[in-house]
Amino acid sequence: MEVFAQQLINGLTLGSIYGLIAIGYTMVFGIIGMVNFAHGDVFMVSAFIAMIFFLLLTTWLGIASIALALLLVLVLAMLMTALWGWTLERLAYRPLRGSFRLAPMISAIGVAIFLANFVQVSQGARNKAVPPIVTDVIVLFERNGYAVALSYKQIIIMSVTAVLLTAFWFVVTRTSLGRAQRACEQDRKMAALLGIDVDRTISLTFVLGAALAAVAGTMFFLYYGVVGFTDGFIPGVKAFTAAVLGGIGSLPGAVLGGLIIGLVETFWSAYFSIEYKDVAAFSILAIVLIFMPSGILGRPEVEKV
Amino acid sequence: MRWEKDPILHVEHLKMRFGGLVAVNDLSFKVGRGDITALIGPNGAGKTTVFNCITGFYKPSEGMLTLRHKAGDRAGSDDGSFLLERLPGHRISQDARVARTFQNIRLFSGMTVLENLLVAQHNTLMQASGFTIAGLFGLPSFRAAEREAVDKARHWLEKINLIERADDPAGDLPYGDQRRLEIARAMCTDPVLLCLDEPAAGLNPRESQELNNLLLSVRNDHNTAVLLIEHDMSVVMQISDHVIVLDYGTKIADGTPEEIRNDQRVIAAYLGVDDDEVEEVEAEVRA
Amino acid sequence: MTSIPTFPARPAGTNQPAPPPLLLHALRESALAALVMLGLSIPILLFRTDQSAGQQLMLTPRIGLVATMCAIIFAVRFVVCLYVARRQSQRAARQAAGVSAPQSKLAHYVVSVGVPLFLGIAVTYPLISSMLAGGLNGARYWIDLGILILTYVMLGWGLNIVVGLAGLLDLGYVAFYAVGAYTYALLSTTYGLSFWICLPLAGVLAAFWGILLGFPVLRLRGDYLAIVTLAFGEIIRLVLINWVELTNGGAGISSIPRATFFGVPFERGENGFAAMFGLQFSAMHRIVFLYYLILVLALITNAVTMRLRRLPVGRAWEALREDEIACRSLGINTRNTKLTAFSIGAGFGGLAGAFFAVRQGFVSPESFNFLESAIILSVVVLGGMGSQFGVAIAAVVMVGGPEMLRHLAFTKAIFGPEFDPNEYRLLIFGLAMVVMMVWRPRGLISHRNPSIALKERKAISGSLVKEGHG
């Protein structure tokens, strides 16, 4: 029971990070039907950006308030990562739009390899660790000598995720950008004929996705305090699994899928075997795709003859 | 009424549901052996859905689709009949020998015209190639079978006047040629029933006339029954032996072209209820 | 969709504001690019993080580096701008003159001259390289590189059956490579089976795994199939790492028996290869033998593929790539057809894997990661899907190209002695994948050769050939 409660908390924290990344996959897939393989690495880059800004603000500029520093880091990381998202779309994907279906996929794989090695070359191959940033913990209850704790970090992560997702939800459902996105999803040609700037809409989709990945990256950095240049691939695949599980193209689905994957991973590690936790994630991915390709909240695809 | 005496295809109580939408409801009809049968009806009447059920792309929600080969034909089951709704998709062409074309042409556009016709003879050639193993070593029996397949393709290319373009990619052909090629490709599977989804759509009058001749030849020279969906009344009225009219997923009339032409209910339901329009269209139909 | 009209549509050639002078335009674009580069550099290039003695992360600013990068980007963008403008004006001039680009003729010429040339070089390569390097021993590096490239050529050709012909996107091809490698590694170390028995076994076993994995997934389409195969590839790798009792985990399996000359070992001494043929013993004999072994394996792969393309099954693969629904309507069993492509491709991957194990004498799960699959796939796509020759060229470019970085000693003179160009191998590899795709999305050789002809074989333009949906 105690272990269960603790794992539930840990799983939800991890799940909100996956959910944030998953939104980037699902949005891009929805609008241009492409699996953005590089998204996991964009997330990794954003974690590095967050780490460097954090060091910059705390050690060089001497900001003593951790809360203020974290807020600034979050905003700056979102901005900078958004620029990365914009640039990548512009250089690696836009020239390939409407061309051969495989080309953007290969290009995205190239971008993923490039980003990981760019970080390796510019920052070194070793993992970067910082001392724990926020260490306070609230003990929820204690029984049989096992304390179920909710750390401040976890509270920050879950609440920031909730707030930003609400803001994001508002953007995609209530603003003209969201409307334009949905129109492009339905029929890009028709949307263009109706005066929607399709290129700009797609660009903004990448920018939004990257910004949310930056939130995830910042939270990841805050949570673990360690980042490495290989940290993009596995979280990327897990977040993609989350997007597929929730129903690719569905935004609430991505968040739901993220939470489920986070919970499955933590419970699997706690009760079965930690070695096979990635196997579990990949197996879920395969099983969902084979038996439930439209996911939990997605629309089933009807074959047109 | 040939279709009553000797039906090749018997559709009984066919029903197709998509979620809450009933696209075809309790539809029954017969297609006569050696007939050209036209399936007509306004847009959204469920014609293509019926086709997709017959050719195995949809599994009907209810109903039975029986295809009967002639006694003594290369029959699959004991009495030469097939329940199409139970066959896996590719078996419908391979065993029951029902071939089809598509409303939006589906040629293998990056392959040549000749290759398109050879792919259609896949199952015969596959057997001749000993499921690839004999073919890999180039055994003479396979070479002979391939020559035969090319001859058959050549026969059809001459028939549809495309022999000169045999080595060009199918995607390069003009629209009308693509339509004819798709029919030839379907015929290369040696079907007993050929289903054509709007074969005359987008053709000019001369091409339309050529199509009529081709379809008549398919029926007369190759003993293949033809079931077609068509909006072009000149095609329907000139060549069909039997017309079935659908509206909102149900059959509203069934008979010879003569009977359909004079059926006020068909004209009203099919073409709208406006009197002036009816007269106008009646005139067109008679012409 | 490059041709989407923007609204309001502007009638071509009228009312357009006069374009700014070329140079000015190029300068503006370049400045913009440099500005974006500056933005991207903050903070990830501008500051380097280093662990100090006290385990504290320290920031080191690198203003010079950022300035250099911005300058480089400025220059690159400037050149690209001018180049694009020049090409556009050339194209316009050509169009005005009514001349179409003689591209397909040229491609045809390249293939007809290139194939014999390529084959000739491949066959005489050990000789050429040892002559250039002044002796067999000096050519060790070059022959090893040749073996590496040929391994990728073979893998590319194997995957080409799946991706190029059948249009099935497989991102986990490396799994079959691993199956082949571990088959030989395990059978030879535990049962002492010889390489020549294990080689066909590895192929068969990998093909069997292809059927096993392909069976549930081949009804998926496009990107979904890609992702599932990626997942399978990763699962196999993770199982190899974690199933320590069987595979010895991440440490891998070492001391795998070396290849023999059909039973005759490459050893010093009476029974060795050198003694048998009356040669002076040289360790290079084995390397040269391995080179020819992979060359033969690759050529067998190619020959089988070319033959299959002309058989009904190969035509069905290509038809499947073009239109699966039409295939079904013609009575083709699409599932079995896909499975044959998947398993034959996997089989060749397995053969290559067994070769890899015998060549290295050591296998570990890390050799079979996703990057490997990505490299093989990029070789296929860059080569031009379905084109055997294109795949071979792409393997040389993508695998041999980054190797050249090892030889750029002069860069040390420019960037200082600590600069190691080899570190940039994968960085450049990733960049090259993007650039190549943007430059030629359909690959180097995109036209398709018909499998049969009535009168004359004409190359089919790549724009008509579809890429498959599954």
Side-chain angles (χ1 to χ4, degrees):
Chain A
M1 173 59 204
E2 295 75 32
V3 179
F4 182 85
Q6 186 64 62
Q7 296 307 331
L8 189 68
I9 294 171
N10 296 349
L12 288 176
T13 315
L14 191 59
S16 31
I17 293 178
Y18 289 152
L20 284 167
I21 312 175
I23 289 178
Y25 279 110
T26 228
M27 267 198 312
V28 168
F29 191 90
I31 201 161
I32 54 174
M34 163 194 151
V35 179
N36 182 7
F37 260 96
H39 194 59
D41 289 280
V42 170
F43 155 78
M44 179 271 298
V45 168
S46 78
F48 265 90
I49 292 177
M51 176 195 67
I52 298 173
F53 272 128
F54 181 79
L55 290 173
L56 198 63
L57 293 175
T58 51
T59 59
W60 279 38
L61 301 180
I63 294 179
S65 154
I66 292 290
L68 180 64
L70 279 180
L71 188 67
L72 282 174
V73 165
L74 183 66
V75 172
L76 286 170
M78 284 174 77
L79 278 176
M80 287 305 156
T81 314
L83 182 65
W84 274 98
W86 181 85
T87 314
L88 293 177
E89 193 272 333
R90 196 61 220 270
L91 292 181
Y93 308 141
R94 189 183 293 183
L96 294 171
R97 203 170 295 152
S99 127
F100 208 46
R101 185 179 56 100
L102 276 178
M105 178 173 257
I106 299 291
S107 188
I109 295 174
V111 170
I113 295 175
F114 170 80
L115 286 179
N117 287 282
F118 169 73
V119 172
Q120 184 195 0
V121 167
S122 63
Q123 295 292 336
R126 291 175 57 184
N127 281 356
K128 310 284 171 181
V130 294
I133 298 165
V134 183
T135 47
D136 303 83
V137 162
I138 304 174
V139 175
L140 292 181
F141 58 91
E142 202 168 344
R143 208 189 297 160
N144 311 328
Y146 188 97
V148 176
L150 178 64
S151 69
Y152 274 34
K153 271 198 289 209
Q154 288 172 325
I155 297 174
I156 296 175
I157 290 171
M158 285 192 256
S159 46
V160 166
T161 305
V163 168
L164 281 170
L165 280 183
T166 316
F168 170 73
W169 182 248
F170 177 81
V171 169
V172 293
T173 53
R174 296 289 145 81
T175 63
S176 63
L177 168 65
R179 240 188 332 271
Q181 271 182 330
R182 274 172 285 143
C184 292
E185 236 168 82
Q186 295 287 322
D187 188 337
R188 237 186 295 156
K189 235 177 229 171
M190 195 61 215
L193 289 173
L194 292 175
I196 292 173
D197 188 339
V198 174
D199 278 342
R200 189 170 151 270
T201 310
I202 294 175
S203 260
L204 281 172
T205 305
F206 273 84
V207 163
L208 269 181
L212 286 178
V215 178
T218 312
M219 297 300 132
F220 180 87
F221 163 68
L222 170 69
Y223 198 45
Y224 293 105
V226 184
V227 286
F229 76 99
T230 53
D231 282 345
F233 181 61
I234 292 285
V237 172
K238 284 180 184 161
F240 180 76
T241 308
V244 170
L245 179 64
I248 198 145
S250 153
L251 299 176
V255 179
L256 181 67
L259 292 176
I260 294 175
I261 294 291
L263 288 171
V264 167
E265 187 183 330
T266 43
F267 280 110
W268 185 284
S269 309
Y271 290 105
F272 297 103
S273 79
I274 195 154
E275 286 87 24
Y276 281 94
K277 75 178 163 113
D278 291 345
V279 174
F282 283 114
S283 305
I284 293 175
L285 177 60
I287 290 167
V288 171
L289 278 176
I290 293 168
F291 296 106
M292 208 172 59
S294 49
I296 300 171
L297 299 178
R299 285 183 298 267
E301 200 181 316
V302 180
E303 186 178 49
K304 279 264 185 227
V305 177
Chain B
M1 302 300 139
R2 191 155 31 178
W3 58 89
E4 289 295 346
K5 274 185 260 147
D6 184 14
I8 186 167
L9 175 70
H10 193 176
V11 174
E12 291 163 279
H13 307 292
L14 176 68
K15 184 167 190 171
M16 186 71 212
R17 232 181 275 115
F18 295 105
L21 177 84
V22 181
V24 176
N25 194 7
D26 197 27
L27 175 69
S28 302
F29 64 88
K30 288 174 179 166
V31 176
R33 193 182 304 282
D35 274 351
I36 293 180
T37 309
L39 196 58
I40 63 173
N43 285 329
K47 304 180 298 287
T48 299
T49 306
V50 173
F51 256 47
N52 285 341
C53 289
I54 294 174
T55 51
F57 283 94
Y58 294 159
K59 289 289 157 224
S61 315
E62 284 168 33
M64 208 157 97
L65 303 154
T66 321
L67 185 102
R68 271 196 196 83
H69 285 184
K70 206 155 54 183
D73 234 5
R74 310 154 295 213
S77 64
D78 309 331
D79 61 342
S81 69
F82 298 88
L83 293 177
L84 298 183
E85 78 277 6
R86 299 203 186 148
L87 286 182
H90 65 276
R91 293 264 164 204
I92 289 180
S93 164
Q94 195 180 353
D95 297 344
R97 306 216 156 263
V98 177
R100 73 169 291 176
T101 64
F102 297 87
Q103 202 171 340
N104 44 343
I105 306 172
R106 284 181 176 274
L107 287 170
F108 306 122
S109 60
M111 301 173 86
T112 65
V113 170
L114 179 63
E115 282 178 309
N116 267 273
L117 298 186
L118 288 184
V119 170
Q121 303 175 55
H122 175 77
N123 288 314
T124 329
L125 282 173
M126 199 66 183
Q127 231 149 32
S129 77
F131 297 91
T132 306
I133 292 154
L136 215 48
F137 299 105
L139 294 193
S141 64
F142 170 66
R143 282 161 195 257
E146 197 178 49
R147 250 193 319 275
E148 229 169 84
V150 172
D151 282 343
K152 188 197 250 179
R154 186 177 295 147
H155 165 81
W156 277 103
L157 287 178
E158 273 159 6
K159 199 155 187 138
I160 61 173
N161 276 330
L162 280 179
I163 190 78
E164 289 308 314
R165 307 211 57 180
D167 297 325
D168 288 334
D172 262 355
L173 298 181
Y175 187 80
D177 290 352
Q178 293 199 6
R179 281 248 175 246
R180 287 205 311 279
L181 178 60
E182 207 192 10
I183 294 173
R185 188 181 69 179
M187 285 308 293
C188 277
T189 64
D190 282 334
V192 295
L193 175 66
L194 175 65
C195 301
L196 305 172
D197 199 345
E198 300 200 17
L203 299 190
N204 64 33
R206 191 179 54 80
E207 288 172 326
S208 202
Q209 193 54 47
E210 281 173 10
L211 176 77
N212 283 357
N213 295 338
L214 179 65
L215 294 187
L216 287 171
S217 149
V218 162
R219 181 189 65 178
N220 299 336
D221 309 339
H222 294 269
N223 290 321
T224 301
V226 178
L227 175 64
L228 57 94
I229 294 175
E230 194 43 78
H231 285 297
D232 185 337
M233 283 304 140
S234 71
V235 174
V236 172
M237 291 301 159
Q238 270 180 37
I239 63 166
S240 33
D241 306 297
H242 176 193
V243 180
I244 299 158
V245 190
L246 292 192
D247 195 16
Y248 294 110
T250 54
K251 186 168 82 174
I252 59 169
D254 183 343
T256 61
E258 267 318 301
E259 290 164 356
I260 299 300
R261 194 178 305 205
N262 298 320
D263 190 329
Q264 284 301 317
R265 193 166 147 245
V266 171
I267 295 169
Y270 182 53
L271 302 161
V273 277
D274 198 309
D275 286 345
D276 300 347
E277 260 183 62
V278 170
E279 271 166 37
E280 222 172 88
V281 175
E282 269 187 308
E284 190 190 310
V285 165
R286 295 225 163 80
Chain C
M1 304 266 150
T2 44
S3 59
I4 290 178
T6 43
F7 195 79
R10 225 176 354 209
T14 56
N15 293 336
Q16 278 186 354
L22 184 57
L23 270 182
L24 204 68
H25 168 77
L27 277 176
R28 213 179 51 198
E29 287 288 309
S30 315
L32 200 70
L35 201 67
V36 170
M37 183 64 216
L38 181 67
L40 293 178
S41 312
I42 302 171
I44 204 154
L45 261 189
L46 187 57
F47 295 99
R48 185 184 166 92
T49 47
D50 287 301
Q51 216 92 27
S52 71
Q55 291 302 305
Q56 200 81 41
L57 274 181
M58 300 291 289
L59 292 178
T60 326
R62 299 184 286 196
I63 294 166
L65 176 70
V66 172
T68 318
M69 285 311 294
C70 289
I72 291 175
I73 293 294
F74 184 90
V76 168
R77 182 76 186 113
F78 191 74
V79 171
V80 167
C81 257
L82 291 186
Y83 174 72
V84 166
R86 196 169 139 236
R87 220 176 52 166
Q88 264 168 359
S89 68
Q90 269 176 353
R91 191 176 299 160
R94 209 182 301 136
Q95 252 165 15
V99 189
S100 65
Q103 208 162 30
S104 73
K105 272 268 161 51
L106 183 75
H108 204 73
Y109 182 73
V110 165
V111 171
S112 59
V113 173
V115 171
L117 189 73
F118 197 80
L119 198 63
I121 292 178
V123 170
T124 53
Y125 179 76
L127 195 69
I128 298 174
S129 57
S130 59
M131 270 176 2
L132 289 179
L136 209 48
N137 288 319
R140 166 86 197 233
Y141 168 79
W142 292 103
I143 297 179
D144 270 340
L145 180 59
I147 293 175
L148 186 71
I149 291 175
L150 281 176
T151 310
Y152 280 97
V153 170
M154 174 163 180
L155 286 168
W157 279 343
L159 184 61
N160 200 8
I161 296 175
V162 184
V163 179
L165 292 182
L168 303 166
L169 192 44
D170 183 357
L171 277 183
Y173 189 63
V174 78
F176 307 119
Y177 189 42
V179 167
Y182 271 86
T183 300
Y184 175 59
L186 289 172
L187 289 180
S188 64
T189 51
T190 48
Y191 298 107
L193 292 185
S194 97
F195 175 71
W196 299 103
I197 295 173
C198 292
L199 182 69
L201 272 180
V204 170
L205 219 64
F208 172 73
W209 273 89
I211 293 176
L212 210 66
L213 296 187
F215 197 77
V217 304
L218 284 177
R219 61 201 173 89
L220 296 175
R221 287 158 167 270
D223 295 351
Y224 278 14
L225 179 67
I227 301 290
V228 172
T229 49
L230 182 153
F232 278 155
E234 283 297 300
I235 289 173
I236 286 190
R237 186 176 67 88
L238 291 166
V239 168
L240 288 178
I241 292 177
N242 290 308
W243 193 356
V244 180
E245 303 86 68
L246 182 72
T247 64
N248 198 23
I253 301 173
S254 52
S255 59
I256 299 169
R258 300 284 190 184
T260 57
F261 186 77
F262 307 102
V264 182
F266 290 94
E267 292 172 346
R268 220 179 276 276
E270 302 247 317
N271 300 321
F273 172 80
M276 190 167 169
F277 289 88
L279 299 167
Q280 184 83 44
F281 173 80
S282 160
M284 281 304 294
H285 289 158
R286 191 176 62 83
I287 308 294
V288 173
F289 176 68
L290 284 175
Y291 176 86
Y292 282 109
L293 177 61
I294 186 67
L295 181 63
V296 167
L297 284 175
L299 289 177
I300 289 175
T301 311
N302 181 41
V304 171
T305 311
M306 299 293 264
R307 184 89 201 123
L308 286 174
R309 262 201 75 204
R310 285 168 172 63
L311 289 180
V313 69
R315 248 175 244 136
W317 290 340
E318 293 200 73
L320 210 58
R321 178 192 66 204
E322 296 284 320
D323 194 326
E324 187 176 339
I325 286 174
C327 278
R328 249 195 291 166
S329 84
L330 295 173
I332 294 174
N333 185 334
T334 51
R335 192 194 56 204
N336 289 359
T337 308
K338 284 180 183 178
L339 271 180
T340 53
F342 209 66
S343 62
I344 291 175
F348 285 124
L351 293 181
F355 174 81
F356 174 80
V358 79
R359 178 205 165 200
Q360 299 278 324
F362 168 74
V363 291
S364 85
E366 279 324 297
S367 309
F368 309 105
N369 55 20
F370 171 65
L371 181 67
E372 211 63 25
S373 283
I375 293 175
I376 304 168
L377 184 68
S378 68
V379 161
V380 173
V381 175
L382 178 71
M385 297 209 320
S387 162
Q388 298 290 91
F389 184 53
V391 168
I393 300 178
V396 173
V397 172
M398 296 301 268
V399 181
E403 277 300 311
M404 292 305 114
L405 285 175
R406 288 187 204 278
H407 308 285
L408 300 179
F410 69 90
T411 49
K412 284 200 199 309
I414 304 172
F415 297 102
E418 275 168 36
F419 183 82
D420 178 9
N422 203 34
E423 265 183 21
Y424 296 80
R425 228 167 59 96
L426 282 172
L427 182 83
I428 291 175
F429 182 81
L431 204 60
M433 274 169 85
V434 177
V435 172
M436 297 270 201
M437 279 300 110
V438 172
W439 173 53
R440 283 195 87 104
R442 283 179 175 274
L444 293 171
I445 298 181
S446 59
H447 70 257
R448 174 180 174 272
N449 247 333
S451 64
I452 191 168
L454 215 50
K455 291 193 192 73
E456 66 163 326
R457 236 176 258 270
K458 304 177 206 166
I460 295 173
S461 143
S463 57
L464 287 170
V465 180
K466 299 223 172 61
E467 75 268 47
H469 296 279

